[in-house]
Amino acid sequence: MSADFLDVQDWAAGLLARLEPAELRKANLRIAQVLRREESLRIGAQVDPDGQRFTPRKARKNLRGKKGAIRRKMFARLRTTHHLRAGVTDDAATVGFKGRASRIAWVHQRGLKDRAAPGAPDVRYPVRRLLGFSKESRERVLDTLADFLAGRGL
C-alpha cells in the first residue's frame, strides 16, 4: 500500500481483519474498479493527479495537408479498460497498464526519450503523470471502503 494510504490502512486494519479472504478480495476489487474509473476520467480530462494540465502536444505545421484538421485528445485509447487494468489480490488493489501500453505510459509518466515510430528520431517527452493519487481519488477510496464495510454490517 502506498505511503499516501498509511493512515487509511491504520484506520481500517481492525475492520478489515474481521473480513474473510473472499470478502477482502471483493472489497479490493471494488476499490480497484473505482480507482480505474477515476484515473480514466482524469486522463481523459488531460489533468495530472496534482491538478495541473498536461503539457500539450507539439504543434505541427502541416497535418497531412489538411488545414484545420481535428486532432484527438492524447491517450484516448490508452485509458480504455482494455489497456488500463484493475488488478486484485487478497491484500492489494492495483491499477496499471498492460502490454505495449505500459511502455507508452511509462515513457510519459517519467518524461523519457522514445521514438514515436520505428526509424523516427528520439524525442524527449514532457512529464505527463498518467497514474497517481489525487485528493479526490483518496477520498473516493475511503468512501468506497466505508460503503463496503457498512454494507457488511461491521
Side-chain angles (χ1 to χ4, degrees), residues 2-152:
S2 173
D4 296 336
F5 285 98
L6 288 178
D7 57 337
V8 175
Q9 186 178 9
D10 292 340
W11 170 77
L15 296 172
L16 293 175
R18 296 170 54 191
L19 293 177
E20 297 293 325
E23 288 180 320
L24 189 56
R25 193 171 177 89
K26 285 180 187 176
N28 286 337
L29 178 62
R30 191 165 301 158
I31 288 169
Q33 288 171 338
V34 166
L35 280 176
R36 179 178 36 119
R37 191 175 308 117
E38 292 290 319
E39 293 296 302
S40 177
L41 291 173
R42 190 182 48 69
I43 291 169
Q46 309 267 319
V47 177
D48 282 342
D50 301 334
Q52 300 289 326
R53 301 283 301 161
F54 284 165
T55 306
R57 285 181 176 153
K58 187 173 147 183
R60 290 185 177 176
K61 293 181 181 179
N62 189 1
L63 188 62
R64 287 185 277 147
K66 297 178 182 178
K67 199 169 193 176
I70 297 173
R71 298 173 72 186
R72 288 188 312 178
K73 286 186 176 183
M74 289 185 291
F75 313 118
R77 290 183 58 199
L78 198 66
R79 69 188 193 104
T80 62
T81 56
H82 180 74
H83 298 292
L84 184 58
R85 293 294 178 107
V88 176
T89 62
D90 289 337
D91 60 348
T94 60
V95 175
F97 294 96
K98 75 163 202 161
R100 177 148 165 75
S102 66
R103 176 167 162 64
I104 294 168
W106 181 258
V107 167
H108 284 275
Q109 181 93 4
R110 301 287 181 178
L112 304 174
K113 282 185 180 180
D114 198 13
R115 292 189 167 125
D122 282 346
V123 175
R124 173 152 320 264
Y125 288 93
V127 175
R128 297 181 179 112
R129 291 191 52 215
L130 299 176
L131 297 177
F133 291 111
S134 64
K135 290 180 183 178
E136 293 81 18
S137 64
R138 185 179 185 282
E139 293 299 320
R140 184 74 68 180
V141 168
L142 289 172
D143 292 344
T144 303
L145 185 58
D147 289 345
F148 184 83
L149 293 174
R152 295 289 182 239

